Amino acid sequence: MNRNKIVAGNWKMNLAKNDAIKLTEDLVSDSIPEGVKVILAPSFVHLDRVGKLLEGQSSISLAAQNVHAAEKGAYTGEISVDMIKSYGCSYALVGHSERRAYFNESHELLAQKIDALLKNGLSAIFCVGEPLEIRKDGSYKEYVSQQINDSLFHLDASQLDAIILAYEPIWAIGTGETASPEQAQEMHQHIREMISEKYGEAKAEALHILYGGSVKPANATDLFSQADVDGGLVGGASLKAEDFKSIIHYK
Ligand code: 13P
């Protein structure tokens, strides 16, 4: 199956207003190669401005970095699916390792967030990935299988169309140490096999599985040319227009 590539930029808690605008303007003025889709995930406060700058073009979509599972109500400081949707988001990240670690997000909560997004017609970019000690003890496939099993496998096959998976080994995030193309491919293939067993081959073949963890212009080509790597979820390098553009133009 010939899946298009997706290059998503997770800005995390970076960039004040003017820098967010400048970066977006720079990306919008660039041509996006055919077969590549770009997704930007700025912080909540930038969704309005970034979303407006993206209006009228179709190759860059907007994502939120997080969302609350409840529809609305007394959750001071939180943001609902309905709100991000009203600012033009088509996606939200769910299960990023930083949210799992620093905000104690459980498998169960992640499943609820996915359900809330899908119910409102949005897609989830569901992140999985093992810490260093699990990589070292060799049980990384089982670890990621469990994450997928616990937060995703309650969905039925038709709902899987609204899921993008992102494999982000924690030991590679922000460390400068990237998984080798072979390590990424091994896990991505494993994930696709798991999906195939549960949902059938056609669904597995259609699923996008992104790699995240120190993706840079220098390694994007090798990573993205692996058979089961359908693009990247980029942190640090998505904050610099030149770097992010060269990842988008990885070929
Ligand atoms: P870095 O690209 O900075 O390693 O971050 C990856 C990431 O966590 C994207 O969500």
Side-chain angles (χ1 to χ4, degrees):
M1 140 96 56
N2 218 352
R3 291 175 296 271
N4 65 344
K5 297 286 186 205
I6 295 176
V7 180
N10 175 10
W11 294 357
K12 307 191 181 182
M13 198 175 73
N14 293 294
L15 305 178
K17 184 168 81 174
N18 288 343
D19 290 331
I21 293 171
K22 199 161 164 290
L23 176 57
T24 311
E25 283 173 346
D26 205 333
L27 297 173
V28 169
S29 67
D30 192 36
S31 66
I32 309 292
E34 206 170 308
V36 177
K37 182 180 171 55
V38 175
I39 300 174
L40 298 182
S43 93
F44 288 127
V45 293
H46 300 320
L47 287 175
D48 188 30
R49 288 301 285 269
V50 171
K52 284 207 175 88
L53 292 169
L54 298 182
E55 273 171 13
Q57 54 77 54
S58 58
S59 21
I60 310 183
S61 302
L62 194 61
Q65 294 176 17
N66 180 32
V67 77
H68 197 274
E71 205 173 309
K72 62 178 175 178
Y75 299 98
T76 302
E78 291 295 321
I79 309 280
S80 72
V81 175
D82 205 31
M83 291 173 192
I84 63 168
K85 189 176 179 179
S86 71
Y87 282 99
C89 286
S90 325
Y91 306 88
L93 303 185
V94 175
H96 194 283
S97 58
E98 289 150 16
R99 295 214 57 90
R100 292 179 193 254
Y102 308 142
F103 303 97
N104 297 317
E105 295 198 354
S106 66
H107 298 309
E108 196 180 23
L109 177 66
L110 303 180
Q112 288 168 5
K113 290 186 180 202
I114 290 173
D115 289 346
L117 286 163
L118 270 50
K119 191 172 156 209
N120 286 281
L122 275 77
S123 296
I125 302 176
F126 179 58
C127 308
V128 295
E130 80 286 358
L132 185 59
E133 63 270 21
I134 298 292
R135 171 57 57 171
K136 280 189 175 154
D137 80 14
S139 63
Y140 47 91
K141 284 188 190 166
E142 291 79 2
Y143 187 93
V144 167
S145 297
Q146 190 72 46
Q147 290 179 318
I148 293 175
N149 188 64
D150 289 348
S151 302
L152 210 60
F153 273 7
H154 65 288
L155 299 180
D156 65 34
S158 68
Q159 292 177 303
L160 205 69
D161 298 342
I163 302 293
I164 294 173
L165 263 167
Y167 169 55
E168 300 204 300
I170 296 170
W171 47 272
I173 295 178
T175 59
E177 189 183 342
T178 317
S180 69
E182 294 74 25
Q183 286 173 318
Q185 169 58 23
E186 181 192 31
M187 181 63 86
H188 285 224
Q189 187 177 340
H190 166 70
I191 292 172
R192 206 177 299 285
E193 282 167 5
M194 250 192 108
I195 300 291
S196 181
E197 263 173 45
K198 170 89 177 164
Y199 295 105
E201 205 183 325
K203 289 288 173 191
E205 283 300 309
L207 179 74
H208 282 87
I209 309 174
L210 313 183
Y211 168 79
S214 300
V215 176
K216 307 228 169 331
N219 57 31
T221 312
D222 282 349
L223 285 163
F224 296 0
S225 56
Q226 299 300 307
D228 289 295
V229 178
D230 305 312
L233 180 53
V234 187
S238 74
L239 300 172
K240 296 178 207 124
E242 287 318 309
D243 284 357
F244 196 53
K245 285 195 277 191
S246 88
I247 295 170
I248 292 168
H249 293 269
Y250 68 95
K251 263 193 195 157

